[in-house]
Amino acid sequence: MAEDELSRSSHSNPGKSLVNGIKTNPASSSPKSSFSVPMGPPVYVDLAYIPNHCSGKNTDPEFFKRVRASYYVVSGNDAANGEPSRAVLDALLEGKSQWGDNLQVTLIPTHDTEVTREWYQQTHEKQQELNIMVLASSSTVVMQDESFPACKIEF
């Protein structure tokens, strides 16, 4: 962009800047605003992978309000890095409570962790109220010299 174009665009939009290509008002921006999605209707999908191994770094209730999935995959297995994050699992409950309709949601943890076990036990009543089912699987996949827990999903 030429210098005069830059000057013109900043004068025509005083107090506005671009964050990820979206016009924002810096005075009202919060630190998380650079990760936010532009407002709009929710998106319905069959399967969604909770970002960043279910880390609380960039997934909040807004994600679950906007991305409405029949199945959410939780792949975190690193307690030292907060994966999966209890806050993200709680955000699922908060986000789902805003949907208005009681669609069935299935949560698919790929690892049996203390965080997911405790969350499941402590929020089981709320999960039932919100029509959330946690899929448990004792299946194991063996590939070459490696084995790991797995879930089978059929559509």
Side-chain angles (χ1 to χ4, degrees), residues 114-125 127:
E114 187 175 329
V115 170
T116 53
R117 277 193 311 270
E118 286 179 4
W119 176 81
Y120 176 80
Q121 292 170 351
Q122 294 170 0
T123 65
H124 187 70
E125 189 174 300
Q127 294 167 43

Side-chain angles (χ1 to χ4, degrees), residues 88-101:
V88 172
L89 297 172
D90 289 340
L92 167 63
L93 297 175
E94 184 180 335
K96 173 80 166 66
S97 70
Q98 302 297 311
W99 289 13
D101 45 10

Side-chain angles (χ1 to χ4, degrees), residues 102-120:
N102 202 15
L103 300 173
Q104 170 73 47
V105 168
T106 303
L107 191 66
I108 307 167
T110 60
H111 296 87
D112 182 21
T113 67
E114 187 175 329
V115 170
T116 53
R117 277 193 311 270
E118 286 179 4
W119 176 81
Y120 176 80

Side-chain angles (χ1 to χ4, degrees), residues 3-139:
E3 191 174 325
D4 58 16
E5 288 178 42
L6 181 59
S7 174
R8 248 193 338 260
S9 75
S10 64
H11 289 300
S12 63
N13 293 313
K16 302 269 183 175
S17 63
L18 291 179
V19 174
N20 295 334
I22 300 164
K23 290 182 183 176
T24 62
N25 183 348
S28 66
S29 294
S30 67
K32 281 196 163 195
S33 68
S34 63
F35 295 112
S36 66
V37 177
M39 292 307 297
V43 176
Y44 291 87
V45 296
D46 290 330
L47 179 71
Y49 177 90
I50 298 177
N52 202 23
H53 303 288
C54 198
S55 167
K57 294 176 185 168
N58 57 4
T59 303
D60 60 10
E62 190 64 29
F63 172 82
F64 296 105
K65 290 177 189 174
R66 301 288 307 284
V67 179
R68 300 180 181 188
S70 297
Y71 298 87
Y72 290 102
V73 176
V74 177
S75 69
N77 189 27
D78 186 357
N81 283 320
E83 300 168 2
S85 165
R86 169 68 189 252
V88 172
L89 297 172
D90 289 340
L92 167 63
L93 297 175
E94 184 180 335
K96 173 80 166 66
S97 70
Q98 302 297 311
W99 289 13
D101 45 10
N102 202 15
L103 300 173
Q104 170 73 47
V105 168
T106 303
L107 191 66
I108 307 167
T110 60
H111 296 87
D112 182 21
T113 67
E114 187 175 329
V115 170
T116 53
R117 277 193 311 270
E118 286 179 4
W119 176 81
Y120 176 80
Q121 292 170 351
Q122 294 170 0
T123 65
H124 187 70
E125 189 174 300
K126 185 73 171 172
Q127 294 167 43
Q128 289 179 322
E129 178 185 313
L130 293 172
N131 204 14
I132 296 173
M133 180 178 77
V134 178
L135 184 65
S137 174
S138 58
S139 300

